[in-house]
Short mmCIF file of all heavy atoms in Angstrom, two decimals:
data_model
loop_
_atom_site.label_atom_id
_atom_site.label_comp_id
_atom_site.label_asym_id
_atom_site.label_seq_id
_atom_site.Cartn_x
_atom_site.Cartn_y
_atom_site.Cartn_z
N ASP A 1 0.69 -1.12 0.05
CA ASP A 1 0.07 0.01 -0.06
C ASP A 1 0.85 1.26 0.03
O ASP A 1 0.53 2.20 0.72
CB ASP A 1 -0.99 0.02 1.19
CG ASP A 1 -1.95 -1.15 1.09
OD1 ASP A 1 -2.42 -1.42 -0.08
OD2 ASP A 1 -2.31 -1.71 2.23
N LEU A 2 1.91 1.29 -0.79
CA LEU A 2 2.82 2.41 -1.02
C LEU A 2 3.62 2.80 0.32
O LEU A 2 4.10 3.92 0.39
CB LEU A 2 2.13 3.48 -1.55
CG LEU A 2 1.44 3.28 -2.89
CD1 LEU A 2 0.82 4.56 -3.36
CD2 LEU A 2 2.29 2.71 -3.90
N HIS A 3 3.60 1.92 1.28
CA HIS A 3 4.32 2.15 2.49
C HIS A 3 5.82 1.91 2.26
O HIS A 3 6.24 0.67 2.03
CB HIS A 3 3.83 1.28 3.65
CG HIS A 3 4.39 1.63 5.05
ND1 HIS A 3 5.62 1.43 5.37
CD2 HIS A 3 3.76 2.33 6.02
CE1 HIS A 3 5.86 1.94 6.57
NE2 HIS A 3 4.77 2.45 7.08
N LEU A 4 6.59 2.90 2.34
CA LEU A 4 8.00 2.81 1.89
C LEU A 4 8.89 1.85 2.69
O LEU A 4 9.49 1.06 2.11
CB LEU A 4 8.65 4.21 1.88
CG LEU A 4 10.18 4.26 1.33
CD1 LEU A 4 10.35 3.79 0.04
CD2 LEU A 4 10.71 5.67 1.71
N GLU A 5 8.79 1.91 4.00
CA GLU A 5 9.60 1.07 4.86
C GLU A 5 9.20 -0.38 4.74
O GLU A 5 10.04 -1.26 4.62
CB GLU A 5 9.59 1.56 6.40
CG GLU A 5 10.14 2.82 6.67
CD GLU A 5 11.58 2.86 6.26
OE1 GLU A 5 12.30 1.83 6.49
OE2 GLU A 5 12.08 3.91 5.86
N LYS A 6 7.92 -0.76 4.73
CA LYS A 6 7.45 -2.08 4.61
C LYS A 6 7.82 -2.73 3.25
O LYS A 6 8.22 -3.77 3.11
CB LYS A 6 5.91 -2.14 4.78
CG LYS A 6 5.44 -1.73 6.14
CD LYS A 6 3.92 -1.91 6.33
CE LYS A 6 3.45 -1.56 7.75
NZ LYS A 6 2.04 -1.59 7.82
N ALA A 7 7.64 -1.84 2.19
CA ALA A 7 8.08 -2.25 0.81
C ALA A 7 9.57 -2.67 0.80
O ALA A 7 9.95 -3.56 0.14
CB ALA A 7 7.67 -1.29 -0.12
N TYR A 8 10.34 -1.69 1.38
CA TYR A 8 11.83 -1.85 1.36
C TYR A 8 12.22 -3.19 2.12
O TYR A 8 13.04 -3.98 1.72
CB TYR A 8 12.46 -0.66 2.03
CG TYR A 8 13.99 -0.82 2.19
CD1 TYR A 8 14.78 -0.64 1.15
CD2 TYR A 8 14.51 -1.07 3.48
CE1 TYR A 8 16.19 -0.74 1.20
CE2 TYR A 8 15.90 -1.08 3.67
CZ TYR A 8 16.67 -0.92 2.55
OH TYR A 8 18.02 -1.21 2.68
N GLU A 9 11.57 -3.38 3.28
CA GLU A 9 11.87 -4.69 3.98
C GLU A 9 11.47 -5.82 3.23
O GLU A 9 12.29 -6.81 3.14
CB GLU A 9 11.16 -4.57 5.35
CG GLU A 9 11.36 -5.90 6.30
CD GLU A 9 10.65 -5.79 7.49
OE1 GLU A 9 9.97 -4.74 7.71
OE2 GLU A 9 10.71 -6.78 8.30
N MET A 10 10.32 -5.84 2.68
CA MET A 10 9.85 -6.98 1.75
C MET A 10 10.77 -7.22 0.66
O MET A 10 11.17 -8.36 0.24
CB MET A 10 8.38 -6.74 1.34
CG MET A 10 7.76 -7.79 0.56
SD MET A 10 6.23 -7.34 -0.04
CE MET A 10 5.58 -8.73 -0.94
N LEU A 11 11.25 -6.18 0.01
CA LEU A 11 12.15 -6.16 -1.18
C LEU A 11 13.39 -6.80 -0.79
O LEU A 11 13.95 -7.63 -1.56
CB LEU A 11 12.17 -4.90 -1.83
CG LEU A 11 13.08 -4.85 -3.05
CD1 LEU A 11 12.48 -5.75 -4.16
CD2 LEU A 11 13.15 -3.36 -3.56
N CYS A 12 13.97 -6.33 0.31
CA CYS A 12 15.30 -6.81 0.72
C CYS A 12 15.38 -8.38 1.04
O CYS A 12 16.26 -8.94 0.71
CB CYS A 12 15.82 -6.03 1.83
SG CYS A 12 16.30 -4.28 1.56
N GLN A 13 14.25 -8.74 1.67
CA GLN A 13 14.16 -10.14 1.92
C GLN A 13 14.00 -11.00 0.67
O GLN A 13 14.65 -12.09 0.51
CB GLN A 13 13.01 -10.45 2.81
CG GLN A 13 13.11 -9.90 4.25
CD GLN A 13 11.82 -9.98 5.11
OE1 GLN A 13 10.75 -10.40 4.56
NE2 GLN A 13 11.85 -9.71 6.30
N SER A 14 13.32 -10.38 -0.33
CA SER A 14 13.08 -11.20 -1.64
C SER A 14 14.44 -11.18 -2.29
O SER A 14 14.79 -12.12 -2.95
CB SER A 14 12.04 -10.49 -2.41
OG SER A 14 11.96 -11.07 -3.63
N LEU A 15 15.18 -10.10 -2.33
CA LEU A 15 16.46 -10.15 -3.01
C LEU A 15 17.52 -11.15 -2.43
O LEU A 15 18.23 -11.79 -3.21
CB LEU A 15 17.02 -8.65 -2.96
CG LEU A 15 16.43 -7.58 -3.86
CD1 LEU A 15 16.93 -6.28 -3.52
CD2 LEU A 15 16.50 -7.90 -5.31
N ALA A 16 17.50 -11.17 -1.02
CA ALA A 16 18.34 -12.22 -0.46
C ALA A 16 17.77 -13.59 -0.78
O ALA A 16 18.64 -14.47 -1.00
CB ALA A 16 18.17 -11.95 1.05
N TRP A 17 16.53 -13.79 -0.92
CA TRP A 17 15.99 -15.18 -1.30
C TRP A 17 16.53 -15.45 -2.72
O TRP A 17 16.79 -16.54 -3.07
CB TRP A 17 14.50 -15.09 -1.27
CG TRP A 17 13.87 -16.19 -1.75
CD1 TRP A 17 13.51 -17.44 -1.32
CD2 TRP A 17 13.17 -16.31 -3.12
NE1 TRP A 17 12.91 -18.35 -2.07
CE2 TRP A 17 12.59 -17.65 -3.19
CE3 TRP A 17 12.97 -15.38 -4.15
CZ2 TRP A 17 11.84 -17.99 -4.40
CZ3 TRP A 17 12.32 -15.80 -5.36
CH2 TRP A 17 11.77 -17.07 -5.35
N ARG A 18 16.45 -14.51 -3.61
CA ARG A 18 16.85 -14.72 -4.96
C ARG A 18 18.27 -15.02 -5.12
O ARG A 18 18.67 -15.96 -5.90
CB ARG A 18 16.56 -13.42 -5.81
CG ARG A 18 15.11 -13.08 -5.97
CD ARG A 18 14.92 -11.87 -7.02
NE ARG A 18 15.27 -12.27 -8.33
CZ ARG A 18 14.38 -12.77 -9.21
NH1 ARG A 18 13.20 -12.92 -8.82
NH2 ARG A 18 14.84 -13.06 -10.37
N ARG A 19 19.11 -14.36 -4.34
CA ARG A 19 20.54 -14.62 -4.41
C ARG A 19 20.90 -16.02 -3.71
O ARG A 19 21.62 -16.86 -4.40
CB ARG A 19 21.30 -13.58 -3.57
CG ARG A 19 21.46 -12.22 -4.12
CD ARG A 19 22.51 -11.44 -3.45
NE ARG A 19 22.13 -11.25 -2.10
CZ ARG A 19 21.48 -10.27 -1.48
NH1 ARG A 19 20.97 -9.30 -2.32
NH2 ARG A 19 21.26 -10.20 -0.26
N HIS A 20 20.14 -16.36 -2.69
CA HIS A 20 20.44 -17.67 -1.99
C HIS A 20 20.02 -18.90 -2.99
O HIS A 20 20.68 -19.87 -2.95
CB HIS A 20 19.60 -17.71 -0.79
CG HIS A 20 19.78 -18.99 0.02
ND1 HIS A 20 21.02 -19.45 0.67
CD2 HIS A 20 19.01 -20.05 0.23
CE1 HIS A 20 20.87 -20.59 1.29
NE2 HIS A 20 19.61 -21.05 0.95
N HIS A 21 18.88 -18.74 -3.71
CA HIS A 21 18.41 -19.85 -4.50
C HIS A 21 18.82 -19.67 -5.96
O HIS A 21 18.27 -20.43 -6.81
CB HIS A 21 16.92 -19.98 -4.36
CG HIS A 21 16.46 -20.34 -2.99
ND1 HIS A 21 16.62 -21.60 -2.40
CD2 HIS A 21 15.91 -19.49 -1.99
CE1 HIS A 21 16.21 -21.64 -1.31
NE2 HIS A 21 15.68 -20.40 -0.89
N HIS A 22 19.61 -18.67 -6.33
CA HIS A 22 20.13 -18.49 -7.84
C HIS A 22 18.86 -18.42 -8.61
O HIS A 22 18.84 -19.02 -9.82
CB HIS A 22 21.01 -19.68 -8.16
CG HIS A 22 22.19 -19.92 -7.22
ND1 HIS A 22 23.15 -19.16 -7.11
CD2 HIS A 22 22.36 -20.93 -6.29
CE1 HIS A 22 23.94 -19.69 -6.18
NE2 HIS A 22 23.50 -20.67 -5.64
N ILE A 23 18.01 -17.55 -8.31
CA ILE A 23 16.70 -17.48 -9.07
C ILE A 23 16.97 -16.80 -10.52
O ILE A 23 16.32 -17.10 -11.45
CB ILE A 23 15.65 -16.61 -8.28
CG1 ILE A 23 15.38 -17.37 -6.91
CG2 ILE A 23 14.42 -16.52 -9.05
CD1 ILE A 23 14.92 -18.64 -6.96
N ASP A 24 17.93 -15.84 -10.59
CA ASP A 24 18.13 -15.06 -11.75
C ASP A 24 18.42 -16.00 -13.06
O ASP A 24 18.05 -15.53 -14.14
CB ASP A 24 19.27 -14.17 -11.59
CG ASP A 24 19.08 -13.00 -10.63
OD1 ASP A 24 17.88 -12.86 -10.28
OD2 ASP A 24 19.95 -12.29 -10.25
N ASN A 25 19.01 -17.07 -12.88
CA ASN A 25 19.24 -18.01 -14.02
C ASN A 25 18.60 -19.30 -13.88
O ASN A 25 19.05 -20.27 -14.41
CB ASN A 25 20.81 -18.17 -14.14
CG ASN A 25 21.46 -18.76 -12.98
OD1 ASN A 25 20.84 -18.84 -11.88
ND2 ASN A 25 22.71 -19.02 -13.04
N ILE A 26 17.50 -19.43 -13.17
CA ILE A 26 16.79 -20.58 -12.94
C ILE A 26 16.27 -21.18 -14.23
O ILE A 26 16.18 -22.48 -14.44
CB ILE A 26 15.67 -20.56 -11.85
CG1 ILE A 26 15.14 -21.85 -11.55
CG2 ILE A 26 14.54 -19.63 -12.34
CD1 ILE A 26 14.18 -21.90 -10.42
N LEU A 27 15.81 -20.24 -15.16
CA LEU A 27 15.26 -20.77 -16.36
C LEU A 27 16.38 -21.43 -17.30
O LEU A 27 15.97 -22.31 -18.13
CB LEU A 27 14.60 -19.60 -17.28
CG LEU A 27 13.45 -19.03 -16.58
CD1 LEU A 27 12.96 -17.81 -17.29
CD2 LEU A 27 12.36 -19.90 -16.39
N GLU A 28 17.56 -21.01 -17.08
CA GLU A 28 18.66 -21.80 -17.79
C GLU A 28 19.18 -23.01 -17.10
O GLU A 28 19.66 -24.02 -17.77
CB GLU A 28 19.79 -20.86 -17.94
CG GLU A 28 19.50 -19.68 -18.99
CD GLU A 28 18.64 -18.58 -18.39
OE1 GLU A 28 18.76 -18.40 -17.20
OE2 GLU A 28 17.81 -18.02 -19.11
N ILE A 29 19.19 -23.03 -15.82
CA ILE A 29 19.80 -24.23 -15.06
C ILE A 29 18.96 -25.26 -14.58
O ILE A 29 19.47 -26.41 -14.25
CB ILE A 29 20.72 -23.61 -13.92
CG1 ILE A 29 19.85 -23.09 -12.73
CG2 ILE A 29 21.77 -22.55 -14.48
CD1 ILE A 29 20.63 -22.59 -11.55
N TRP A 30 17.61 -24.91 -14.50
CA TRP A 30 16.75 -25.98 -13.86
C TRP A 30 15.89 -26.55 -14.91
O TRP A 30 15.26 -25.86 -15.80
CB TRP A 30 15.93 -25.29 -12.82
CG TRP A 30 15.00 -26.29 -12.16
CD1 TRP A 30 15.24 -27.30 -11.17
CD2 TRP A 30 13.54 -26.42 -12.31
NE1 TRP A 30 14.17 -28.00 -10.88
CE2 TRP A 30 13.09 -27.49 -11.49
CE3 TRP A 30 12.68 -25.89 -13.24
CZ2 TRP A 30 11.73 -27.93 -11.52
CZ3 TRP A 30 11.36 -26.35 -13.27
CH2 TRP A 30 10.90 -27.34 -12.35
N LYS A 31 15.76 -27.94 -14.81
CA LYS A 31 14.76 -28.61 -15.71
C LYS A 31 13.68 -29.31 -14.89
O LYS A 31 14.25 -30.07 -14.03
CB LYS A 31 15.60 -29.62 -16.59
CG LYS A 31 16.54 -28.95 -17.49
CD LYS A 31 15.95 -27.92 -18.54
CE LYS A 31 17.04 -27.21 -19.35
NZ LYS A 31 16.44 -26.08 -20.16
N PRO A 32 12.51 -29.29 -15.24
CA PRO A 32 11.47 -29.98 -14.40
C PRO A 32 11.59 -31.42 -14.48
O PRO A 32 11.98 -32.04 -15.51
CB PRO A 32 10.17 -29.50 -14.97
CG PRO A 32 10.51 -28.98 -16.33
CD PRO A 32 11.89 -28.50 -16.42
N PRO A 33 11.21 -32.22 -13.36
CA PRO A 33 11.34 -33.60 -13.38
C PRO A 33 10.34 -34.22 -14.41
O PRO A 33 9.36 -33.60 -14.68
CB PRO A 33 10.99 -34.00 -12.02
CG PRO A 33 10.30 -32.87 -11.43
CD PRO A 33 10.80 -31.63 -12.06
N GLU A 34 10.52 -35.53 -14.69
CA GLU A 34 9.66 -36.12 -15.78
C GLU A 34 8.16 -36.17 -15.39
O GLU A 34 7.35 -35.82 -16.21
CB GLU A 34 10.14 -37.54 -16.16
CG GLU A 34 11.50 -37.54 -16.79
CD GLU A 34 11.42 -36.82 -18.18
OE1 GLU A 34 10.40 -37.02 -18.90
OE2 GLU A 34 12.34 -36.16 -18.60
N PRO A 35 7.90 -36.48 -14.07
CA PRO A 35 6.37 -36.45 -13.80
C PRO A 35 5.68 -35.07 -14.09
O PRO A 35 4.67 -35.09 -14.46
CB PRO A 35 6.46 -36.82 -12.42
CG PRO A 35 7.66 -37.67 -12.17
CD PRO A 35 8.77 -36.89 -12.98
N LEU A 36 6.49 -33.96 -13.85
CA LEU A 36 5.73 -32.76 -14.03
C LEU A 36 5.60 -32.43 -15.60
O LEU A 36 4.60 -31.99 -16.02
CB LEU A 36 6.75 -31.61 -13.49
CG LEU A 36 6.58 -31.32 -12.01
CD1 LEU A 36 7.63 -30.31 -11.59
CD2 LEU A 36 5.17 -30.93 -11.61
N LEU A 37 6.59 -32.92 -16.32
CA LEU A 37 6.46 -32.74 -17.83
C LEU A 37 5.42 -33.64 -18.30
O LEU A 37 4.64 -33.13 -19.27
CB LEU A 37 7.88 -33.02 -18.40
CG LEU A 37 8.99 -32.12 -18.22
CD1 LEU A 37 10.21 -32.60 -18.85
CD2 LEU A 37 8.72 -30.78 -18.85
N ASP A 38 5.26 -34.82 -17.90
CA ASP A 38 4.32 -35.82 -18.50
C ASP A 38 2.89 -35.64 -17.91
O ASP A 38 1.96 -36.01 -18.83
CB ASP A 38 4.85 -37.21 -18.21
CG ASP A 38 6.14 -37.43 -18.95
OD1 ASP A 38 6.44 -36.79 -19.93
OD2 ASP A 38 6.90 -38.49 -18.52
#
């Protein structure tokens, strides 16, 4: 709701999550398991 501090806190946590799980290149490095594809 445009609250600056809350948005900043939420964003920082998300950026840390992205770094930890290598989200930026997930489309290149991750392939779904066969049951999901089939």
Side-chain angles (χ1 to χ4, degrees):
D1 297 322
L2 303 183
H3 191 288
L4 182 61
E5 293 300 327
K6 292 180 180 179
Y8 175 73
E9 180 181 359
M10 180 183 182
L11 180 60
C12 288
Q13 292 174 354
S14 179
L15 290 174
W17 171 81
R18 295 185 68 90
R19 289 194 301 270
H20 179 72
H21 296 285
H22 308 289
I23 303 300
D24 290 347
N25 56 354
I26 191 171
L27 294 178
E28 289 75 33
I29 66 175
W30 181 78
K31 301 300 180 184
E34 290 299 324
L36 280 175
L37 290 174
D38 294 339

